[in-house]
Amino acid sequence: DAKTTQPPSMDCAEGRAANLPCNHSTISGNEYVYWYRQIHSQGPQYIIHGLKNNETNEMASLIITEDRKSSTLILPHATLRDTAVYYCIVRVDNNNDMRFGAGTRLTVKP
Amino acid sequence: EAQVTQNPRYLITVTGKKLTVTCSQNMNHEYMSWYRQDPGLGLRQIYYSMNVEVTDKGDVPEGYKVSRKEKRNFPLILESPSPNQTSLYFCASRRASGSGQFFGPGTRLTVL
């Protein structure tokens, strides 16, 4: 599965949109982009996933570039409870491989 | 409520004393897996199971066993725990396709 690159840390003001980037330049055509987050030492939480179209759910939006080499997770109105490590993972659907990298530590500040 | 449960949540044990960490999901998911998380090393997969009676090694399987006799349960067995297995363990499950993983709350294990 393709490797991803994320910035190690980001800050965001409470109430503003948090835009978390992810590069996956070696992604192949059948690989999905998944996002998870982990708040402190809790179990990671699935956020959203997509293949090529942009996706939105109650938690976030996922924007995937047309060439699929990068994506952005958008938390539209960040709150203090969104402070967490965010992981971007690419994998083939129905494939086991789920390798978590270091992720981006997002800190939402008052 | 859809969930993955793990027991125990905290465990302190001694070297060589066999232990089992249970994992159960109520979502009828085909796929289940175990991870360990260590500072500086992130989440690493130990074992996974694509369905009942089908299990396979992840990245760090040494010192662990698993079984999948029923769809809902996926216990992690440490036959002879050692201090280097002190870690935070997570169980996860998902549908066979088109789904993200749902993680349990974690089990913090200390082996003295």
Side-chain angles (χ1 to χ4, degrees):
Chain A
D1 285 346
K3 186 180 159 82
T4 62
T5 305
Q6 299 177 253
S9 64
M10 293 181 65
D11 290 342
C12 176
E14 188 178 20
R16 304 297 291 269
N19 297 288
L20 293 97
C22 180
N23 283 322
H24 30 80
S25 58
T26 59
I27 193 169
S28 53
N30 60 348
E31 286 182 310
Y32 286 72
V33 181
Y34 283 80
W35 283 84
Y36 290 80
R37 72 180 182 184
Q38 187 174 24
I39 297 171
H40 195 45
S41 293
Q42 297 177 22
Q45 179 187 22
Y46 163 75
I47 301 172
I48 199 167
H49 75 283
L51 183 63
K52 19 178 146 173
N53 298 324
N54 298 337
E55 302 287 344
T56 295
N57 63 20
E58 63 280 0
M59 288 182 69
S61 295
L62 173 60
I63 308 297
I64 303 174
T65 58
E66 194 167 336
D67 63 7
R68 303 208 324 122
K69 293 186 176 183
S70 66
S71 60
T72 301
L73 179 76
I74 301 172
L75 308 178
H77 306 286
T79 71
L80 299 179
R81 285 180 290 186
D82 291 321
T83 292
V85 177
Y86 287 78
Y87 298 98
C88 167
I89 297 162
V90 294
R91 73 167 179 89
V92 177
D93 192 27
N94 202 28
N95 186 325
N96 162 64
D97 197 0
M98 182 66 76
R99 290 207 163 86
F100 287 79
T104 295
R105 183 172 296 278
L106 174 70
T107 302
V108 181
K109 299 186 172 178
Chain B
E1 180 192 352
Q3 59 184 350
V4 177
T5 57
Q6 296 179 225
N7 282 292
R9 294 288 315 281
Y10 302 90
L11 179 61
I12 299 174
T13 189
V14 295
T15 299
K17 187 176 179 183
K18 180 179 178 180
L19 67 91
T20 299
V21 184
T22 64
C23 172
S24 183
Q25 51 94 3
N26 63 0
M27 296 168 278
N28 202 35
H29 286 166
E30 291 83 9
Y31 176 94
M32 298 184 75
S33 61
W34 276 103
Y35 295 83
R36 62 178 286 175
Q37 186 169 34
D38 303 288
L41 296 175
L43 277 153
R44 295 178 293 167
Q45 191 180 59
I46 303 170
Y47 268 95
Y48 66 96
S49 169
M50 302 293 270
N51 214 323
V52 176
E53 301 291 1
V54 180
T55 64
D56 211 342
K57 296 176 181 178
D59 293 326
V60 288
E62 296 76 22
Y64 304 94
K65 286 174 61 176
V66 293
S67 69
R68 187 93 182 271
K69 295 187 172 64
E70 309 163 275
K71 200 170 189 180
R72 64 181 294 128
N73 297 323
F74 190 45
L76 180 70
I77 302 155
L78 285 72
E79 295 268 5
S80 182
S82 62
N84 65 11
Q85 292 178 298
T86 291
S87 188
L88 180 57
Y89 291 86
F90 292 104
C91 179
S93 74
R94 63 169 170 83
R95 293 198 311 264
S97 64
S99 162
Q101 289 194 85
F102 290 82
F103 283 79
T107 295
R108 189 169 290 282
L109 172 67
T110 302
V111 183
L112 302 175

mmCIF file with all atom_site columns, all heavy atoms in Angstrom, chain B residues 38-62:
data_model
loop_
_atom_site.group_PDB
_atom_site.id
_atom_site.type_symbol
_atom_site.label_atom_id
_atom_site.label_alt_id
_atom_site.label_comp_id
_atom_site.label_asym_id
_atom_site.label_entity_id
_atom_site.label_seq_id
_atom_site.pdbx_PDB_ins_code
_atom_site.Cartn_x
_atom_site.Cartn_y
_atom_site.Cartn_z
_atom_site.occupancy
_atom_site.B_iso_or_equiv
_atom_site.pdbx_formal_charge
_atom_site.auth_seq_id
_atom_site.auth_comp_id
_atom_site.auth_asym_id
_atom_site.auth_atom_id
_atom_site.pdbx_PDB_model_num
ATOM 1   N N   . ASP B 1 38 ? 3.092   1.741   21.183 1.00 0.00 ? 38 ASP B N   1
ATOM 2   C CA  . ASP B 1 38 ? 4.221   2.055   22.061 1.00 0.00 ? 38 ASP B CA  1
ATOM 3   C C   . ASP B 1 38 ? 4.749   3.433   21.714 1.00 0.00 ? 38 ASP B C   1
ATOM 4   O O   . ASP B 1 38 ? 4.761   3.815   20.534 1.00 0.00 ? 38 ASP B O   1
ATOM 5   C CB  . ASP B 1 38 ? 5.326   1.018   21.876 1.00 0.00 ? 38 ASP B CB  1
ATOM 6   C CG  . ASP B 1 38 ? 4.825   -0.393  22.131 1.00 0.00 ? 38 ASP B CG  1
ATOM 7   O OD1 . ASP B 1 38 ? 4.583   -0.709  23.299 1.00 0.00 ? 38 ASP B OD1 1
ATOM 8   O OD2 . ASP B 1 38 ? 4.664   -1.161  21.155 1.00 0.00 ? 38 ASP B OD2 1
ATOM 9   N N   . PRO B 1 39 ? 5.228   4.164   22.703 1.00 0.00 ? 39 PRO B N   1
ATOM 10  C CA  . PRO B 1 39 ? 5.744   5.516   22.438 1.00 0.00 ? 39 PRO B CA  1
ATOM 11  C C   . PRO B 1 39 ? 6.844   5.499   21.392 1.00 0.00 ? 39 PRO B C   1
ATOM 12  O O   . PRO B 1 39 ? 7.768   4.684   21.449 1.00 0.00 ? 39 PRO B O   1
ATOM 13  C CB  . PRO B 1 39 ? 6.298   5.941   23.806 1.00 0.00 ? 39 PRO B CB  1
ATOM 14  C CG  . PRO B 1 39 ? 5.560   5.120   24.791 1.00 0.00 ? 39 PRO B CG  1
ATOM 15  C CD  . PRO B 1 39 ? 5.284   3.807   24.123 1.00 0.00 ? 39 PRO B CD  1
ATOM 16  N N   . GLY B 1 40 ? 6.728   6.372   20.414 1.00 0.00 ? 40 GLY B N   1
ATOM 17  C CA  . GLY B 1 40 ? 7.742   6.471   19.369 1.00 0.00 ? 40 GLY B CA  1
ATOM 18  C C   . GLY B 1 40 ? 7.622   5.439   18.271 1.00 0.00 ? 40 GLY B C   1
ATOM 19  O O   . GLY B 1 40 ? 8.265   5.563   17.228 1.00 0.00 ? 40 GLY B O   1
ATOM 20  N N   . LEU B 1 41 ? 6.786   4.414   18.479 1.00 0.00 ? 41 LEU B N   1
ATOM 21  C CA  . LEU B 1 41 ? 6.647   3.360   17.470 1.00 0.00 ? 41 LEU B CA  1
ATOM 22  C C   . LEU B 1 41 ? 5.257   3.352   16.853 1.00 0.00 ? 41 LEU B C   1
ATOM 23  O O   . LEU B 1 41 ? 5.000   2.637   15.890 1.00 0.00 ? 41 LEU B O   1
ATOM 24  C CB  . LEU B 1 41 ? 6.937   1.989   18.086 1.00 0.00 ? 41 LEU B CB  1
ATOM 25  C CG  . LEU B 1 41 ? 8.363   1.791   18.581 1.00 0.00 ? 41 LEU B CG  1
ATOM 26  C CD1 . LEU B 1 41 ? 8.508   0.445   19.272 1.00 0.00 ? 41 LEU B CD1 1
ATOM 27  C CD2 . LEU B 1 41 ? 9.357   1.888   17.421 1.00 0.00 ? 41 LEU B CD2 1
ATOM 28  N N   . GLY B 1 42 ? 4.341   4.103   17.429 1.00 0.00 ? 42 GLY B N   1
ATOM 29  C CA  . GLY B 1 42 ? 3.000   4.185   16.853 1.00 0.00 ? 42 GLY B CA  1
ATOM 30  C C   . GLY B 1 42 ? 2.214   2.903   17.010 1.00 0.00 ? 42 GLY B C   1
ATOM 31  O O   . GLY B 1 42 ? 2.528   2.039   17.838 1.00 0.00 ? 42 GLY B O   1
ATOM 32  N N   . LEU B 1 43 ? 1.183   2.775   16.213 1.00 0.00 ? 43 LEU B N   1
ATOM 33  C CA  . LEU B 1 43 ? 0.312   1.595   16.225 1.00 0.00 ? 43 LEU B CA  1
ATOM 34  C C   . LEU B 1 43 ? 0.881   0.539   15.283 1.00 0.00 ? 43 LEU B C   1
ATOM 35  O O   . LEU B 1 43 ? 1.130   0.818   14.117 1.00 0.00 ? 43 LEU B O   1
ATOM 36  C CB  . LEU B 1 43 ? -1.082  1.972   15.738 1.00 0.00 ? 43 LEU B CB  1
ATOM 37  C CG  . LEU B 1 43 ? -2.010  2.576   16.765 1.00 0.00 ? 43 LEU B CG  1
ATOM 38  C CD1 . LEU B 1 43 ? -3.031  3.470   16.095 1.00 0.00 ? 43 LEU B CD1 1
ATOM 39  C CD2 . LEU B 1 43 ? -2.727  1.488   17.540 1.00 0.00 ? 43 LEU B CD2 1
ATOM 40  N N   . ARG B 1 44 ? 1.051   -0.656  15.797 1.00 0.00 ? 44 ARG B N   1
ATOM 41  C CA  . ARG B 1 44 ? 1.558   -1.755  14.969 1.00 0.00 ? 44 ARG B CA  1
ATOM 42  C C   . ARG B 1 44 ? 0.609   -2.940  15.089 1.00 0.00 ? 44 ARG B C   1
ATOM 43  O O   . ARG B 1 44 ? 0.163   -3.289  16.172 1.00 0.00 ? 44 ARG B O   1
ATOM 44  C CB  . ARG B 1 44 ? 2.960   -2.156  15.417 1.00 0.00 ? 44 ARG B CB  1
ATOM 45  C CG  . ARG B 1 44 ? 4.021   -1.071  15.206 1.00 0.00 ? 44 ARG B CG  1
ATOM 46  C CD  . ARG B 1 44 ? 5.365   -1.513  15.711 1.00 0.00 ? 44 ARG B CD  1
ATOM 47  N NE  . ARG B 1 44 ? 5.387   -1.655  17.166 1.00 0.00 ? 44 ARG B NE  1
ATOM 48  C CZ  . ARG B 1 44 ? 6.361   -2.261  17.843 1.00 0.00 ? 44 ARG B CZ  1
ATOM 49  N NH1 . ARG B 1 44 ? 7.379   -2.797  17.198 1.00 0.00 ? 44 ARG B NH1 1
ATOM 50  N NH2 . ARG B 1 44 ? 6.304   -2.342  19.165 1.00 0.00 ? 44 ARG B NH2 1
ATOM 51  N N   . GLN B 1 45 ? 0.355   -3.557  13.955 1.00 0.00 ? 45 GLN B N   1
ATOM 52  C CA  . GLN B 1 45 ? -0.615  -4.652  13.932 1.00 0.00 ? 45 GLN B CA  1
ATOM 53  C C   . GLN B 1 45 ? 0.033   -5.953  14.384 1.00 0.00 ? 45 GLN B C   1
ATOM 54  O O   . GLN B 1 45 ? 1.124   -6.310  13.926 1.00 0.00 ? 45 GLN B O   1
ATOM 55  C CB  . GLN B 1 45 ? -1.195  -4.812  12.532 1.00 0.00 ? 45 GLN B CB  1
ATOM 56  C CG  . GLN B 1 45 ? -2.387  -5.752  12.478 1.00 0.00 ? 45 GLN B CG  1
ATOM 57  C CD  . GLN B 1 45 ? -2.917  -5.886  11.075 1.00 0.00 ? 45 GLN B CD  1
ATOM 58  O OE1 . GLN B 1 45 ? -2.206  -6.302  10.166 1.00 0.00 ? 45 GLN B OE1 1
ATOM 59  N NE2 . GLN B 1 45 ? -4.182  -5.546  10.880 1.00 0.00 ? 45 GLN B NE2 1
ATOM 60  N N   . ILE B 1 46 ? -0.671  -6.688  15.239 1.00 0.00 ? 46 ILE B N   1
ATOM 61  C CA  . ILE B 1 46 ? -0.152  -7.950  15.769 1.00 0.00 ? 46 ILE B CA  1
ATOM 62  C C   . ILE B 1 46 ? -0.685  -9.134  14.958 1.00 0.00 ? 46 ILE B C   1
ATOM 63  O O   . ILE B 1 46 ? 0.076   -9.927  14.405 1.00 0.00 ? 46 ILE B O   1
ATOM 64  C CB  . ILE B 1 46 ? -0.557  -8.111  17.250 1.00 0.00 ? 46 ILE B CB  1
ATOM 65  C CG1 . ILE B 1 46 ? -0.071  -6.925  18.074 1.00 0.00 ? 46 ILE B CG1 1
ATOM 66  C CG2 . ILE B 1 46 ? -0.002  -9.415  17.812 1.00 0.00 ? 46 ILE B CG2 1
ATOM 67  C CD1 . ILE B 1 46 ? -0.627  -6.888  19.487 1.00 0.00 ? 46 ILE B CD1 1
ATOM 68  N N   . TYR B 1 47 ? -1.992  -9.271  14.920 1.00 0.00 ? 47 TYR B N   1
ATOM 69  C CA  . TYR B 1 47 ? -2.681  -10.315 14.164 1.00 0.00 ? 47 TYR B CA  1
ATOM 70  C C   . TYR B 1 47 ? -3.970  -9.737  13.608 1.00 0.00 ? 47 TYR B C   1
ATOM 71  O O   . TYR B 1 47 ? -4.495  -8.750  14.123 1.00 0.00 ? 47 TYR B O   1
ATOM 72  C CB  . TYR B 1 47 ? -3.042  -11.510 15.068 1.00 0.00 ? 47 TYR B CB  1
ATOM 73  C CG  . TYR B 1 47 ? -2.021  -12.610 15.122 1.00 0.00 ? 47 TYR B CG  1
ATOM 74  C CD1 . TYR B 1 47 ? -1.074  -12.640 16.149 1.00 0.00 ? 47 TYR B CD1 1
ATOM 75  C CD2 . TYR B 1 47 ? -1.997  -13.621 14.173 1.00 0.00 ? 47 TYR B CD2 1
ATOM 76  C CE1 . TYR B 1 47 ? -0.126  -13.661 16.213 1.00 0.00 ? 47 TYR B CE1 1
ATOM 77  C CE2 . TYR B 1 47 ? -1.052  -14.650 14.239 1.00 0.00 ? 47 TYR B CE2 1
ATOM 78  C CZ  . TYR B 1 47 ? -0.124  -14.653 15.255 1.00 0.00 ? 47 TYR B CZ  1
ATOM 79  O OH  . TYR B 1 47 ? 0.808   -15.657 15.323 1.00 0.00 ? 47 TYR B OH  1
ATOM 80  N N   . TYR B 1 48 ? -4.480  -10.390 12.578 1.00 0.00 ? 48 TYR B N   1
ATOM 81  C CA  . TYR B 1 48 ? -5.783  -10.026 12.066 1.00 0.00 ? 48 TYR B CA  1
ATOM 82  C C   . TYR B 1 48 ? -6.543  -11.272 11.627 1.00 0.00 ? 48 TYR B C   1
ATOM 83  O O   . TYR B 1 48 ? -5.959  -12.349 11.477 1.00 0.00 ? 48 TYR B O   1
ATOM 84  C CB  . TYR B 1 48 ? -5.676  -9.020  10.904 1.00 0.00 ? 48 TYR B CB  1
ATOM 85  C CG  . TYR B 1 48 ? -5.020  -9.556  9.659  1.00 0.00 ? 48 TYR B CG  1
ATOM 86  C CD1 . TYR B 1 48 ? -5.771  -10.063 8.602  1.00 0.00 ? 48 TYR B CD1 1
ATOM 87  C CD2 . TYR B 1 48 ? -3.633  -9.515  9.522  1.00 0.00 ? 48 TYR B CD2 1
ATOM 88  C CE1 . TYR B 1 48 ? -5.165  -10.529 7.452  1.00 0.00 ? 48 TYR B CE1 1
ATOM 89  C CE2 . TYR B 1 48 ? -3.016  -9.983  8.376  1.00 0.00 ? 48 TYR B CE2 1
ATOM 90  C CZ  . TYR B 1 48 ? -3.789  -10.480 7.339  1.00 0.00 ? 48 TYR B CZ  1
ATOM 91  O OH  . TYR B 1 48 ? -3.178  -10.954 6.214  1.00 0.00 ? 48 TYR B OH  1
ATOM 92  N N   . SER B 1 49 ? -7.839  -11.081 11.439 1.00 0.00 ? 49 SER B N   1
ATOM 93  C CA  . SER B 1 49 ? -8.702  -12.189 11.025 1.00 0.00 ? 49 SER B CA  1
ATOM 94  C C   . SER B 1 49 ? -9.714  -11.668 10.022 1.00 0.00 ? 49 SER B C   1
ATOM 95  O O   . SER B 1 49 ? -10.434 -10.708 10.300 1.00 0.00 ? 49 SER B O   1
ATOM 96  C CB  . SER B 1 49 ? -9.423  -12.771 12.241 1.00 0.00 ? 49 SER B CB  1
ATOM 97  O OG  . SER B 1 49 ? -10.445 -13.660 11.834 1.00 0.00 ? 49 SER B OG  1
ATOM 98  N N   . MET B 1 50 ? -9.750  -12.293 8.869  1.00 0.00 ? 50 MET B N   1
ATOM 99  C CA  . MET B 1 50 ? -10.687 -11.865 7.829  1.00 0.00 ? 50 MET B CA  1
ATOM 100 C C   . MET B 1 50 ? -12.067 -12.482 8.034  1.00 0.00 ? 50 MET B C   1
ATOM 101 O O   . MET B 1 50 ? -13.048 -11.987 7.472  1.00 0.00 ? 50 MET B O   1
ATOM 102 C CB  . MET B 1 50 ? -10.158 -12.240 6.435  1.00 0.00 ? 50 MET B CB  1
ATOM 103 C CG  . MET B 1 50 ? -8.793  -11.647 6.115  1.00 0.00 ? 50 MET B CG  1
ATOM 104 S SD  . MET B 1 50 ? -8.807  -9.852  5.954  1.00 0.00 ? 50 MET B SD  1
ATOM 105 C CE  . MET B 1 50 ? -9.153  -9.685  4.218  1.00 0.00 ? 50 MET B CE  1
ATOM 106 N N   . ASN B 1 51 ? -12.157 -13.554 8.807  1.00 0.00 ? 51 ASN B N   1
ATOM 107 C CA  . ASN B 1 51 ? -13.449 -14.160 9.116  1.00 0.00 ? 51 ASN B CA  1
ATOM 108 C C   . ASN B 1 51 ? -13.227 -15.307 10.094 1.00 0.00 ? 51 ASN B C   1
ATOM 109 O O   . ASN B 1 51 ? -12.084 -15.587 10.500 1.00 0.00 ? 51 ASN B O   1
ATOM 110 C CB  . ASN B 1 51 ? -14.145 -14.660 7.845  1.00 0.00 ? 51 ASN B CB  1
ATOM 111 C CG  . ASN B 1 51 ? -15.664 -14.516 7.924  1.00 0.00 ? 51 ASN B CG  1
ATOM 112 O OD1 . ASN B 1 51 ? -16.267 -14.710 8.988  1.00 0.00 ? 51 ASN B OD1 1
ATOM 113 N ND2 . ASN B 1 51 ? -16.271 -14.164 6.814  1.00 0.00 ? 51 ASN B ND2 1
ATOM 114 N N   . VAL B 1 52 ? -14.290 -15.991 10.452 1.00 0.00 ? 52 VAL B N   1
ATOM 115 C CA  . VAL B 1 52 ? -14.188 -17.092 11.420 1.00 0.00 ? 52 VAL B CA  1
ATOM 116 C C   . VAL B 1 52 ? -13.200 -18.132 10.919 1.00 0.00 ? 52 VAL B C   1
ATOM 117 O O   . VAL B 1 52 ? -13.202 -18.494 9.740  1.00 0.00 ? 52 VAL B O   1
ATOM 118 C CB  . VAL B 1 52 ? -15.574 -17.728 11.636 1.00 0.00 ? 52 VAL B CB  1
ATOM 119 C CG1 . VAL B 1 52 ? -15.464 -18.940 12.552 1.00 0.00 ? 52 VAL B CG1 1
ATOM 120 C CG2 . VAL B 1 52 ? -16.542 -16.712 12.210 1.00 0.00 ? 52 VAL B CG2 1
ATOM 121 N N   . GLU B 1 53 ? -12.335 -18.565 11.834 1.00 0.00 ? 53 GLU B N   1
ATOM 122 C CA  . GLU B 1 53 ? -11.323 -19.598 11.569 1.00 0.00 ? 53 GLU B CA  1
ATOM 123 C C   . GLU B 1 53 ? -10.257 -19.162 10.569 1.00 0.00 ? 53 GLU B C   1
ATOM 124 O O   . GLU B 1 53 ? -9.481  -19.997 10.102 1.00 0.00 ? 53 GLU B O   1
ATOM 125 C CB  . GLU B 1 53 ? -11.975 -20.914 11.096 1.00 0.00 ? 53 GLU B CB  1
ATOM 126 C CG  . GLU B 1 53 ? -12.972 -21.527 12.075 1.00 0.00 ? 53 GLU B CG  1
ATOM 127 C CD  . GLU B 1 53 ? -12.335 -22.079 13.342 1.00 0.00 ? 53 GLU B CD  1
ATOM 128 O OE1 . GLU B 1 53 ? -11.105 -21.991 13.513 1.00 0.00 ? 53 GLU B OE1 1
ATOM 129 O OE2 . GLU B 1 53 ? -13.086 -22.605 14.189 1.00 0.00 ? 53 GLU B OE2 1
ATOM 130 N N   . VAL B 1 54 ? -10.198 -17.882 10.245 1.00 0.00 ? 54 VAL B N   1
ATOM 131 C CA  . VAL B 1 54 ? -9.171  -17.370 9.326  1.00 0.00 ? 54 VAL B CA  1
ATOM 132 C C   . VAL B 1 54 ? -8.384  -16.288 10.041 1.00 0.00 ? 54 VAL B C   1
ATOM 133 O O   . VAL B 1 54 ? -8.910  -15.202 10.314 1.00 0.00 ? 54 VAL B O   1
ATOM 134 C CB  . VAL B 1 54 ? -9.798  -16.788 8.042  1.00 0.00 ? 54 VAL B CB  1
ATOM 135 C CG1 . VAL B 1 54 ? -8.690  -16.272 7.113  1.00 0.00 ? 54 VAL B CG1 1
ATOM 136 C CG2 . VAL B 1 54 ? -10.657 -17.817 7.335  1.00 0.00 ? 54 VAL B CG2 1
ATOM 137 N N   . THR B 1 55 ? -7.129  -16.581 10.384 1.00 0.00 ? 55 THR B N   1
ATOM 138 C CA  . THR B 1 55 ? -6.292  -15.590 11.052 1.00 0.00 ? 55 THR B CA  1
ATOM 139 C C   . THR B 1 55 ? -4.946  -15.520 10.352 1.00 0.00 ? 55 THR B C   1
ATOM 140 O O   . THR B 1 55 ? -4.519  -16.477 9.700  1.00 0.00 ? 55 THR B O   1
ATOM 141 C CB  . THR B 1 55 ? -6.067  -15.926 12.542 1.00 0.00 ? 55 THR B CB  1
ATOM 142 O OG1 . THR B 1 55 ? -5.345  -17.160 12.647 1.00 0.00 ? 55 THR B OG1 1
ATOM 143 C CG2 . THR B 1 55 ? -7.379  -16.050 13.284 1.00 0.00 ? 55 THR B CG2 1
ATOM 144 N N   . ASP B 1 56 ? -4.277  -14.398 10.515 1.00 0.00 ? 56 ASP B N   1
ATOM 145 C CA  . ASP B 1 56 ? -2.960  -14.245 9.893  1.00 0.00 ? 56 ASP B CA  1
ATOM 146 C C   . ASP B 1 56 ? -2.128  -13.247 10.679 1.00 0.00 ? 56 ASP B C   1
ATOM 147 O O   . ASP B 1 56 ? -2.670  -12.423 11.444 1.00 0.00 ? 56 ASP B O   1
ATOM 148 C CB  . ASP B 1 56 ? -3.080  -13.794 8.449  1.00 0.00 ? 56 ASP B CB  1
ATOM 149 C CG  . ASP B 1 56 ? -1.937  -14.314 7.584  1.00 0.00 ? 56 ASP B CG  1
ATOM 150 O OD1 . ASP B 1 56 ? -0.895  -14.729 8.160  1.00 0.00 ? 56 ASP B OD1 1
ATOM 151 O OD2 . ASP B 1 56 ? -2.065  -14.302 6.360  1.00 0.00 ? 56 ASP B OD2 1
ATOM 152 N N   . LYS B 1 57 ? -0.813  -13.342 10.494 1.00 0.00 ? 57 LYS B N   1
ATOM 153 C CA  . LYS B 1 57 ? 0.106   -12.495 11.247 1.00 0.00 ? 57 LYS B CA  1
ATOM 154 C C   . LYS B 1 57 ? 0.121   -11.089 10.687 1.00 0.00 ? 57 LYS B C   1
ATOM 155 O O   . LYS B 1 57 ? 0.035   -10.872 9.478  1.00 0.00 ? 57 LYS B O   1
ATOM 156 C CB  . LYS B 1 57 ? 1.522   -13.081 11.161 1.00 0.00 ? 57 LYS B CB  1
ATOM 157 C CG  . LYS B 1 57 ? 1.658   -14.443 11.797 1.00 0.00 ? 57 LYS B CG  1
ATOM 158 C CD  . LYS B 1 57 ? 3.057   -14.999 11.596 1.00 0.00 ? 57 LYS B CD  1
ATOM 159 C CE  . LYS B 1 57 ? 3.174   -16.380 12.212 1.00 0.00 ? 57 LYS B CE  1
ATOM 160 N NZ  . LYS B 1 57 ? 4.511   -16.967 11.994 1.00 0.00 ? 57 LYS B NZ  1
ATOM 161 N N   . GLY B 1 58 ? 0.273   -10.149 11.608 1.00 0.00 ? 58 GLY B N   1
ATOM 162 C CA  . GLY B 1 58 ? 0.507   -8.770  11.225 1.00 0.00 ? 58 GLY B CA  1
ATOM 163 C C   . GLY B 1 58 ? 2.000   -8.481  11.233 1.00 0.00 ? 58 GLY B C   1
ATOM 164 O O   . GLY B 1 58 ? 2.809   -9.359  10.911 1.00 0.00 ? 58 GLY B O   1
ATOM 165 N N   . ASP B 1 59 ? 2.364   -7.294  11.666 1.00 0.00 ? 59 ASP B N   1
ATOM 166 C CA  . ASP B 1 59 ? 3.770   -6.898  11.627 1.00 0.00 ? 59 ASP B CA  1
ATOM 167 C C   . ASP B 1 59 ? 4.579   -7.378  12.833 1.00 0.00 ? 59 ASP B C   1
ATOM 168 O O   . ASP B 1 59 ? 5.783   -7.573  12.730 1.00 0.00 ? 59 ASP B O   1
ATOM 169 C CB  . ASP B 1 59 ? 3.869   -5.367  11.561 1.00 0.00 ? 59 ASP B CB  1
ATOM 170 C CG  . ASP B 1 59 ? 3.344   -4.829  10.246 1.00 0.00 ? 59 ASP B CG  1
ATOM 171 O OD1 . ASP B 1 59 ? 3.518   -5.509  9.222  1.00 0.00 ? 59 ASP B OD1 1
ATOM 172 O OD2 . ASP B 1 59 ? 2.764   -3.726  10.244 1.00 0.00 ? 59 ASP B OD2 1
ATOM 173 N N   . VAL B 1 60 ? 3.918   -7.571  13.971 1.00 0.00 ? 60 VAL B N   1
ATOM 174 C CA  . VAL B 1 60 ? 4.651   -7.936  15.195 1.00 0.00 ? 60 VAL B CA  1
ATOM 175 C C   . VAL B 1 60 ? 3.963   -9.084  15.927 1.00 0.00 ? 60 VAL B C   1
ATOM 176 O O   . VAL B 1 60 ? 3.513   -8.931  17.062 1.00 0.00 ? 60 VAL B O   1
ATOM 177 C CB  . VAL B 1 60 ? 4.827   -6.706  16.135 1.00 0.00 ? 60 VAL B CB  1
ATOM 178 C CG1 . VAL B 1 60 ? 5.835   -5.732  15.561 1.00 0.00 ? 60 VAL B CG1 1
ATOM 179 C CG2 . VAL B 1 60 ? 3.492   -6.009  16.385 1.00 0.00 ? 60 VAL B CG2 1
ATOM 180 N N   . PRO B 1 61 ? 3.907   -10.286 15.333 1.00 0.00 ? 61 PRO B N   1
ATOM 181 C CA  . PRO B 1 61 ? 3.142   -11.385 15.938 1.00 0.00 ? 61 PRO B CA  1
ATOM 182 C C   . PRO B 1 61 ? 3.880   -12.189 17.006 1.00 0.00 ? 61 PRO B C   1
ATOM 183 O O   . PRO B 1 61 ? 3.258   -12.968 17.734 1.00 0.00 ? 61 PRO B O   1
ATOM 184 C CB  . PRO B 1 61 ? 2.851   -12.275 14.732 1.00 0.00 ? 61 PRO B CB  1
ATOM 185 C CG  . PRO B 1 61 ? 4.043   -12.075 13.843 1.00 0.00 ? 61 PRO B CG  1
ATOM 186 C CD  . PRO B 1 61 ? 4.439   -10.622 14.021 1.00 0.00 ? 61 PRO B CD  1
ATOM 187 N N   . GLU B 1 62 ? 5.195   -12.004 17.129 1.00 0.00 ? 62 GLU B N   1
ATOM 188 C CA  . GLU B 1 62 ? 5.981   -12.863 18.015 1.00 0.00 ? 62 GLU B CA  1
ATOM 189 C C   . GLU B 1 62 ? 5.527   -12.715 19.460 1.00 0.00 ? 62 GLU B C   1
ATOM 190 O O   . GLU B 1 62 ? 5.424   -11.607 19.986 1.00 0.00 ? 62 GLU B O   1
ATOM 191 C CB  . GLU B 1 62 ? 7.475   -12.532 17.907 1.00 0.00 ? 62 GLU B CB  1
ATOM 192 C CG  . GLU B 1 62 ? 8.106   -12.806 16.542 1.00 0.00 ? 62 GLU B CG  1
ATOM 193 C CD  . GLU B 1 62 ? 7.748   -11.759 15.508 1.00 0.00 ? 62 GLU B CD  1
ATOM 194 O OE1 . GLU B 1 62 ? 7.385   -10.621 15.892 1.00 0.00 ? 62 GLU B OE1 1
ATOM 195 O OE2 . GLU B 1 62 ? 7.807   -12.083 14.311 1.00 0.00 ? 62 GLU B OE2 1
#
